[in-house]
Amino acid sequence: MKKILVATHARFAEGIVSSIDLILGKQENLHFINAYVDETPFNEKLEGFLNENVMDEDKLIIFTDIFGGSVNQTTLRYLTKENVFVISGVNLPVLLEVIMLGEDNVTEAKLKEIVNSSKDQIIFANDEMKKLNITQDDDFDL
């Protein structure tokens, strides 16, 4: 079974999962861990989640906020397992696409493709508005 975990510093993980819930409804395979918001060390929260929620046959996709950050470094320890994938720099478009990905399509190649295509969703809107010749006074619907 496909399992998705969003783990970030503070409450970003909870917030982005809340956005997913609003857009798609509650997703049973989507979980989050807010790191450093209480006295429980993140590595203990992660280990507890893995022990309670992830079976050997599951495919686990972990999203983190900052590559090289403490949350990300802790999750990278689990890459020795064949069924674990870590994606850092989580954003709503990439998370939505992975959630909607069929279980049979959870492969390293497909996840790389999704990550690469999600980079196109990061847009400097000022330039896009200029390209489209749209001003603040225009009533527009992109």
Side-chain angles (χ1 to χ4, degrees), residues 96-120:
L96 279 166
E97 202 162 341
V98 170
I99 288 169
M100 295 189 299
L101 184 64
E103 299 224 9
D104 293 339
N105 292 323
V106 179
T107 64
E108 187 172 324
K110 186 62 178 174
L111 291 172
K112 283 181 186 179
E113 180 184 316
I114 290 170
V115 167
N116 287 329
S117 70
S118 76
K119 291 176 185 179
D120 293 336

Side-chain angles (χ1 to χ4, degrees), residues 28-135:
E28 295 302 318
N29 65 338
L30 177 62
H31 309 272
F32 67 87
I33 297 176
N34 294 323
Y36 312 115
V37 296
D38 56 29
E39 299 301 316
T40 307
F42 172 65
N43 64 319
E44 288 181 20
K45 289 182 178 186
L46 181 58
E47 193 64 35
F49 168 81
L50 295 171
N51 289 336
E52 292 176 25
N53 296 288
V54 181
M55 309 300 284
D56 288 339
E57 64 274 6
D58 290 336
K59 292 182 180 181
L60 175 63
I61 306 154
I62 303 173
F63 286 92
T64 64
D65 48 3
I66 302 171
F67 182 75
S70 58
V71 171
N72 181 255
Q73 288 181 39
T74 302
T75 63
L76 292 177
R77 296 177 191 152
Y78 295 91
L79 288 180
T80 57
K81 296 184 179 202
E82 188 176 315
N83 62 337
V84 175
F85 307 93
V86 176
I87 299 172
S88 73
V90 64
N91 62 40
L92 198 54
V94 73
L95 187 55
L96 279 166
E97 202 162 341
V98 170
I99 288 169
M100 295 189 299
L101 184 64
E103 299 224 9
D104 293 339
N105 292 323
V106 179
T107 64
E108 187 172 324
K110 186 62 178 174
L111 291 172
K112 283 181 186 179
E113 180 184 316
I114 290 170
V115 167
N116 287 329
S117 70
S118 76
K119 291 176 185 179
D120 293 336
Q121 296 298 316
I122 300 172
I123 298 169
F124 187 60
N126 298 50
D127 287 347
E128 291 303 310
M129 298 295 279
K130 288 174 188 171
K131 285 181 197 174
L132 297 171
N133 200 26
I134 296 173
T135 66

